[in-house]
Amino acid sequence: MTHINRRNFLAAGVAASVVALPGCASLPSLSLTEAVRRLLTLSSQNAFAELMQPNGFFDSQIARISVPERLGGTRVTNIATALLRSKPIQKRLLKQVNRAAEKGAELAAPIIADTIRGMSIADAAAIIKGGERAATDLLQSQLGTSLATQMLPGVSKGLNLFDNEIINLVLSQVSDINFADISGDVTDKVSDAIYRSIGAQEAKIRANPEATNDPLLIGVFGFT
């Protein structure tokens, strides 16, 4: 008897149930809900695996955090702000805000994992048939601003790690810098970057569910 790979057999079984019915919406709602949760779980795991590498944000084309306007904005009023806007300082600041982003991501990962496990999914079929980041959009809408709020301490701690004496000296001479505002600005950017990264991973899975080796994801998203 020809040996049949168990994983492929399971995938074929799920796929058959999709083909046999008029659209994936005919699958049991529990299966569709589980598919959305698995999609989000895998997308977020893949995203955080990249972002939490050393220089994960800095090296990412979609998640790199820009230097806040307040740290070298458009107006140069004195020699301190002129120095703050110089290329060497801006490069150092860019590295620093992206290091701070990693601190925020460390706090965000378990929050997102818990949210996915407990999130309500009113219309899983619509999410499955939606756009390439429909599940990520649902996750973002359910978390609202709470993710940024809970990441703020980590980002603030990261921004306090300025370890360059020149930067510290310059910052001490710029009187109109509000570090609370800067922390909030960076945290909002980190939140947006995390959702962009999760959305990009979701799009990859939707485009090639077979790469996940997950029978349910293959069966559902392979036929949407």
Side-chain angles (χ1 to χ4, degrees):
M1 179 180 291
T2 303
H3 175 71
I4 300 176
N5 181 277
R6 182 175 181 272
R7 178 178 292 159
N8 291 339
F9 177 77
L10 290 173
V14 176
S17 67
V18 180
V19 173
L21 296 171
C24 69
S26 299
L27 283 173
S29 59
L30 182 61
S31 297
L32 296 180
T33 299
E34 176 62 17
V36 172
R37 285 204 175 95
R38 289 192 194 183
L39 173 65
L40 279 173
T41 297
L42 188 55
S43 298
S44 60
Q45 288 175 345
N46 291 345
F48 281 114
E50 293 183 356
L51 294 176
M52 294 173 67
Q53 292 288 325
N55 296 319
F57 280 85
F58 184 81
D59 291 338
S60 172
Q61 293 183 348
I62 63 174
R64 178 183 283 193
I65 309 300
S66 61
V67 175
E69 186 69 18
R70 297 175 182 86
L71 291 177
T74 55
R75 295 198 329 168
V76 179
T77 57
N78 54 43
I79 191 171
T81 50
L83 184 56
L84 191 61
R85 292 185 62 205
S86 67
K87 287 185 177 180
I89 298 296
Q90 283 293 301
K91 182 178 180 179
R92 182 65 190 180
L93 288 172
L94 182 62
K95 284 268 192 178
Q96 190 67 51
V97 296
N98 281 277
R99 283 174 59 190
E102 294 173 21
K103 298 293 184 181
E106 290 174 3
L107 296 178
I111 294 169
I112 286 181
D114 288 343
T115 301
I116 292 171
R117 282 192 291 268
M119 70 189 300
S120 60
I121 304 173
D123 191 348
I127 299 300
I128 289 170
K129 293 182 177 179
E132 63 180 10
R133 54 165 287 166
T136 302
D137 289 340
L138 175 64
L139 174 66
Q140 186 171 4
S141 68
Q142 292 205 6
L143 273 167
T145 60
S146 66
L147 183 64
T149 300
Q150 295 179 79
M151 283 195 300
L152 182 59
V155 173
S156 297
K157 180 180 179 181
L159 290 174
N160 286 334
L161 296 177
F162 287 108
D163 53 7
N164 184 287
E165 292 183 4
I166 295 177
I167 290 180
N168 285 327
L169 177 62
V170 172
L171 292 177
S172 69
Q173 300 301 312
V174 182
S175 60
D176 60 346
I177 287 183
N178 185 316
F179 280 97
D181 288 345
I182 291 171
S183 294
D185 184 0
V186 173
T187 302
D188 288 340
K189 290 179 178 178
V190 175
S191 179
D192 290 341
I194 287 173
Y195 288 124
R196 284 198 304 273
S197 298
I198 295 174
Q201 293 295 332
E202 177 186 351
K204 287 183 181 179
I205 293 172
R206 286 178 178 269
N208 183 21
E210 290 80 9
T212 67
N213 293 322
D214 185 308
L216 181 59
L217 292 179
I218 293 171
V220 172
F221 292 99
F223 291 86
T224 56

